Amino acid sequence: DAGVIQSPRHEVTEMGQEVTLRCKPISGHNSLFWYRQTMMRGLELLIYFNNNVPIDDSGMPEDRFSAKMPNASFSTLKIQPSEPRDSAVYFCASSLPGFIAFFGQGTRLTVV
Amino acid sequence: GNSVTQMEGPVTLSEEAFLTINCTYTATGYPSLFWYVQYPGEGLQLLLKATKADDKGSNKGFEATYRKETTSFHLEKGSVQVSDSAVYFCALSGLDDYKLSFGAGTTVTVRA
Protein backbone atom coordinates (compact mmCIF):
# COMPACT_ATOMS: atom_id res chain seq x y z
CA ASP A 1 0.00 0.00 0.00
CA ALA A 2 1.27 3.48 -0.83
CA GLY A 3 0.19 4.91 2.49
CA VAL A 4 -1.94 7.99 2.99
CA ILE A 5 -1.68 10.21 -0.05
CA GLN A 6 -2.24 13.93 0.14
CA SER A 7 -2.32 16.45 -2.66
CA PRO A 8 -1.04 18.93 -3.39
CA ARG A 9 2.17 18.91 -1.33
CA HIS A 10 2.46 22.65 -1.54
CA GLU A 11 -0.17 25.28 -2.29
CA VAL A 12 0.28 29.02 -2.56
CA THR A 13 -2.86 31.04 -3.08
CA GLU A 14 -4.09 34.57 -2.77
CA MET A 15 -6.34 35.71 0.01
CA GLY A 16 -10.00 35.22 -0.87
CA GLN A 17 -9.44 32.27 -3.16
CA GLU A 18 -10.91 28.84 -2.60
CA VAL A 19 -8.50 26.09 -1.61
CA THR A 20 -9.18 22.35 -1.76
CA LEU A 21 -6.92 19.83 -0.10
CA ARG A 22 -7.25 16.15 -0.96
CA CYS A 23 -6.60 12.92 0.86
CA LYS A 24 -6.65 9.26 -0.07
CA PRO A 25 -6.60 7.07 3.05
CA ILE A 26 -5.10 3.62 3.32
CA SER A 27 -7.41 1.00 1.90
CA GLY A 28 -9.44 -0.70 4.62
CA HIS A 29 -9.04 2.05 7.18
CA ASN A 30 -12.40 3.39 8.31
CA SER A 31 -11.29 6.37 10.41
CA LEU A 32 -9.95 9.52 8.80
CA PHE A 33 -8.59 12.63 10.46
CA TRP A 34 -7.70 16.12 9.29
CA TYR A 35 -5.13 18.01 11.37
CA ARG A 36 -3.63 21.47 11.10
CA GLN A 37 -0.14 22.24 12.37
CA THR A 38 1.22 25.71 13.09
CA MET A 39 4.06 27.00 15.22
CA MET A 40 1.66 28.90 17.44
CA ARG A 41 -1.00 26.25 18.02
CA GLY A 42 0.82 22.99 17.43
CA LEU A 43 -1.16 20.05 16.06
CA GLU A 44 -4.92 20.64 16.05
CA LEU A 45 -7.57 18.09 15.16
CA LEU A 46 -10.02 19.72 12.75
CA ILE A 47 -12.42 16.90 12.01
CA TYR A 48 -12.60 13.15 11.97
CA PHE A 49 -14.73 10.70 10.08
CA ASN A 50 -15.70 7.14 10.86
CA ASN A 51 -17.12 5.04 8.04
CA ASN A 52 -17.36 8.20 5.92
CA VAL A 53 -19.54 9.97 8.49
CA PRO A 54 -18.26 13.10 10.27
CA ILE A 55 -18.14 12.23 13.97
CA ASP A 56 -16.58 15.32 15.47
CA ASP A 57 -16.06 18.62 13.64
CA SER A 58 -15.68 20.74 16.76
CA GLY A 59 -12.14 21.61 15.75
CA MET A 60 -13.13 23.25 12.48
CA PRO A 61 -12.19 26.89 13.06
CA GLU A 62 -15.13 28.56 11.33
CA ASP A 63 -17.65 28.28 8.55
CA ARG A 64 -15.02 28.98 5.93
CA PHE A 65 -13.78 25.43 6.50
CA SER A 66 -15.65 22.39 5.28
CA ALA A 67 -14.74 18.73 4.86
CA LYS A 68 -16.32 15.89 2.98
CA MET A 69 -15.79 12.19 2.61
CA PRO A 70 -17.95 11.02 -0.29
CA ASN A 71 -16.56 7.48 -0.18
CA ALA A 72 -14.12 5.33 1.75
CA SER A 73 -11.18 6.22 -0.48
CA PHE A 74 -11.35 10.00 -0.72
CA SER A 75 -11.74 13.08 1.44
CA THR A 76 -11.44 16.82 0.86
CA LEU A 77 -10.87 19.81 3.10
CA LYS A 78 -12.01 23.08 1.59
CA ILE A 79 -11.34 26.64 2.69
CA GLN A 80 -13.47 29.34 1.11
CA PRO A 81 -12.51 32.14 1.21
CA SER A 82 -8.94 31.61 2.35
CA GLU A 83 -7.13 34.06 4.65
CA PRO A 84 -3.44 34.53 5.51
CA ARG A 85 -4.03 33.10 9.00
CA ASP A 86 -4.99 29.80 7.39
CA SER A 87 -1.36 29.29 6.38
CA ALA A 88 -0.24 26.04 7.97
CA VAL A 89 0.62 22.44 7.23
CA TYR A 90 -2.50 20.31 6.91
CA PHE A 91 -2.21 16.60 7.61
CA CYS A 92 -4.56 13.78 6.81
CA ALA A 93 -4.35 10.50 8.74
CA SER A 94 -6.24 7.22 8.59
CA SER A 95 -6.59 4.27 10.91
CA LEU A 96 -8.71 1.47 12.22
CA PRO A 97 -10.35 2.49 15.55
CA GLY A 98 -7.91 2.17 18.44
CA PHE A 99 -5.07 1.24 16.16
CA ILE A 100 -2.12 2.96 14.59
CA ALA A 101 -2.86 6.13 12.65
CA PHE A 102 -0.81 6.63 9.51
CA PHE A 103 -0.16 10.16 8.39
CA GLY A 104 0.26 11.62 4.97
CA GLN A 105 3.17 13.87 4.10
CA GLY A 106 1.03 16.94 4.57
CA THR A 107 0.05 19.93 2.45
CA ARG A 108 1.89 23.15 3.15
CA LEU A 109 -0.58 25.95 2.51
CA THR A 110 0.52 29.55 2.14
CA VAL A 111 -2.10 32.24 1.74
CA VAL A 112 -0.67 35.59 0.64
CA GLY B 1 -13.30 13.43 27.07
CA ASN B 2 -9.92 11.89 26.42
CA SER B 3 -6.86 14.11 26.62
CA VAL B 4 -3.09 13.97 26.72
CA THR B 5 -0.67 16.24 28.57
CA GLN B 6 3.02 16.09 27.78
CA MET B 7 6.11 17.85 29.00
CA GLU B 8 6.69 21.21 27.41
CA GLY B 9 9.88 21.81 25.53
CA PRO B 10 12.10 22.63 24.00
CA VAL B 11 14.60 20.11 25.28
CA THR B 12 18.27 20.42 24.35
CA LEU B 13 20.69 17.59 25.08
CA SER B 14 24.20 16.50 24.27
CA GLU B 15 24.86 13.28 22.38
CA GLU B 16 24.73 10.15 24.56
CA ALA B 17 22.65 11.90 27.22
CA PHE B 18 19.54 10.32 28.72
CA LEU B 19 16.21 11.56 27.42
CA THR B 20 12.86 11.41 29.13
CA ILE B 21 9.65 13.09 28.02
CA ASN B 22 6.72 12.89 30.41
CA CYS B 23 3.23 12.11 29.20
CA THR B 24 0.06 11.66 31.22
CA TYR B 25 -3.43 11.00 29.99
CA THR B 26 -7.08 11.22 30.95
CA ALA B 27 -9.41 8.66 29.46
CA THR B 28 -12.34 6.41 30.13
CA GLY B 29 -11.78 2.72 29.77
CA TYR B 30 -8.57 1.34 28.36
CA PRO B 31 -7.15 3.48 25.57
CA SER B 32 -4.26 2.65 23.30
CA LEU B 33 -1.22 4.88 23.75
CA PHE B 34 1.29 6.01 21.18
CA TRP B 35 4.41 8.06 20.66
CA TYR B 36 4.79 9.68 17.27
CA VAL B 37 7.87 11.45 15.95
CA GLN B 38 8.10 14.22 13.39
CA TYR B 39 11.46 14.88 11.79
CA PRO B 40 12.07 18.31 10.24
CA GLY B 41 9.99 18.86 7.12
CA GLU B 42 8.21 15.54 7.37
CA GLY B 43 4.88 14.13 8.50
CA LEU B 44 4.29 12.27 11.73
CA GLN B 45 5.30 8.65 11.98
CA LEU B 46 4.67 6.09 14.66
CA LEU B 47 7.58 5.53 17.02
CA LEU B 48 6.04 3.01 19.42
CA LYS B 49 2.76 1.93 20.95
CA ALA B 50 1.16 0.07 23.84
CA THR B 51 -2.37 -1.22 23.92
CA LYS B 52 -2.87 -2.40 27.50
CA ALA B 53 -1.65 -1.78 31.02
CA ASP B 54 1.98 -2.72 31.74
CA ASP B 55 2.77 -3.12 28.05
CA LYS B 56 6.15 -1.73 27.06
CA GLY B 57 6.53 -0.29 23.60
CA SER B 58 10.02 -0.02 22.15
CA ASN B 59 11.66 1.04 18.91
CA LYS B 60 15.00 2.57 17.84
CA GLY B 61 16.24 2.53 21.43
CA PHE B 62 13.18 4.36 22.73
CA GLU B 63 10.90 2.81 25.35
CA ALA B 64 7.63 3.69 27.06
CA THR B 65 5.58 1.70 29.55
CA TYR B 66 1.78 1.95 29.86
CA ARG B 67 1.18 2.73 33.55
CA LYS B 68 -2.50 2.61 34.37
CA GLU B 69 -2.02 3.36 38.07
CA THR B 70 -0.31 6.68 37.28
CA THR B 71 -2.04 7.21 33.88
CA SER B 72 1.34 7.79 32.31
CA PHE B 73 3.30 6.79 29.23
CA HIS B 74 6.70 8.45 29.59
CA LEU B 75 9.18 8.18 26.71
CA GLU B 76 12.81 7.32 27.47
CA LYS B 77 16.04 6.74 25.61
CA GLY B 78 19.28 5.94 27.32
CA SER B 79 21.71 7.49 24.84
CA VAL B 80 20.47 9.97 22.28
CA GLN B 81 22.04 10.79 18.92
CA VAL B 82 21.96 13.91 16.79
CA SER B 83 19.59 12.06 14.46
CA ASP B 84 17.01 11.90 17.28
CA SER B 85 16.42 15.63 16.96
CA ALA B 86 12.71 15.92 16.21
CA VAL B 87 9.32 16.77 17.67
CA TYR B 88 7.79 13.99 19.77
CA PHE B 89 4.05 13.64 20.28
CA CYS B 90 2.25 11.52 22.83
CA ALA B 91 -1.15 10.32 21.62
CA LEU B 92 -4.15 8.36 22.78
CA SER B 93 -6.87 6.49 20.95
CA GLY B 94 -10.04 5.36 22.63
CA LEU B 95 -11.98 2.39 21.37
CA ASP B 96 -15.17 4.09 22.46
CA ASP B 97 -14.93 7.31 20.49
CA TYR B 98 -12.36 6.50 17.76
CA LYS B 99 -10.72 9.86 18.28
CA LEU B 100 -6.92 10.14 18.16
CA SER B 101 -5.87 12.86 20.62
CA PHE B 102 -2.35 14.32 20.62
CA GLY B 103 -0.33 16.17 23.18
CA ALA B 104 1.22 19.52 22.33
CA GLY B 105 4.51 18.01 21.18
CA THR B 106 8.00 18.31 22.63
CA THR B 107 10.84 19.60 20.49
CA VAL B 108 14.09 17.77 21.17
CA THR B 109 17.44 19.01 19.90
CA VAL B 110 20.54 16.86 20.32
CA ARG B 111 23.91 18.57 19.94
CA ALA B 112 27.08 16.80 18.93
Side-chain angles (χ1 to χ4, degrees):
Chain A
D1 199 315
V4 177
I5 300 173
Q6 291 186 246
S7 64
R9 290 293 310 277
H10 302 273
E11 177 80 31
V12 180
T13 190
E14 292 186 345
M15 182 174 62
Q17 296 298 306
E18 177 179 295
V19 175
T20 299
L21 310 182
R22 297 173 175 79
C23 175
K24 176 178 168 55
I26 291 173
S27 177
H29 284 186
N30 59 357
S31 291
L32 184 139
F33 309 85
W34 282 101
Y35 289 89
R36 178 173 68 176
Q37 187 178 38
T38 61
M39 289 293 293
M40 290 295 293
R41 294 175 174 268
L43 194 64
E44 301 174 278
L45 176 64
L46 300 178
I47 186 170
Y48 79 97
F49 295 85
N50 188 57
N51 293 325
N52 311 338
V53 176
I55 302 299
D56 184 351
D57 64 354
S58 59
M60 297 286 263
E62 48 198 275
D63 292 345
R64 297 185 297 108
F65 286 69
S66 62
K68 294 182 180 180
M69 193 165 185
N71 57 61
S73 59
F74 185 65
S75 178
T76 59
L77 178 68
K78 185 178 295 186
I79 309 172
Q80 166 64 18
S82 58
E83 297 182 3
R85 59 193 170 115
D86 302 330
S87 298
V89 180
Y90 291 81
F91 288 104
C92 176
S94 72
S95 77
L96 291 170
F99 291 86
I100 300 167
F102 290 85
F103 280 73
Q105 290 289 86
T107 295
R108 182 173 295 277
L109 173 65
T110 303
V111 183
V112 298
Chain B
N2 298 336
S3 66
V4 175
T5 303
Q6 69 179 95
M7 186 177 82
E8 290 189 18
V11 175
T12 302
L13 304 164
S14 298
E15 262 193 322
E16 301 183 2
F18 182 85
L19 170 68
T20 183
I21 303 175
N22 289 341
C23 172
T24 58
Y25 67 90
T26 301
T28 55
Y30 299 91
S32 295
L33 301 173
F34 309 89
W35 277 100
Y36 281 81
V37 59
Q38 184 180 31
Y39 298 105
E42 299 184 10
L44 279 75
Q45 55 186 276
L46 181 72
L47 180 60
L48 54 83
K49 67 179 176 69
T51 58
K52 62 183 187 294
D54 300 324
D55 266 2
K56 177 185 284 187
S58 61
N59 185 25
K60 299 182 180 180
F62 290 88
E63 293 184 340
T65 301
Y66 189 142
R67 301 285 188 199
K68 190 174 187 300
E69 63 275 14
T70 55
T71 62
S72 64
F73 193 54
H74 305 322
L75 182 68
E76 296 181 337
K77 185 172 185 180
S79 177
V80 294
Q81 305 300 313
V82 172
S83 57
D84 294 325
S85 297
V87 183
Y88 294 82
F89 294 89
C90 186
L92 172 158
S93 176
L95 290 176
D96 52 349
D97 68 0
Y98 311 112
K99 189 173 176 177
L100 185 63
S101 302
F102 282 87
T106 302
T107 300
V108 174
T109 302
V110 181
R111 295 181 173 169

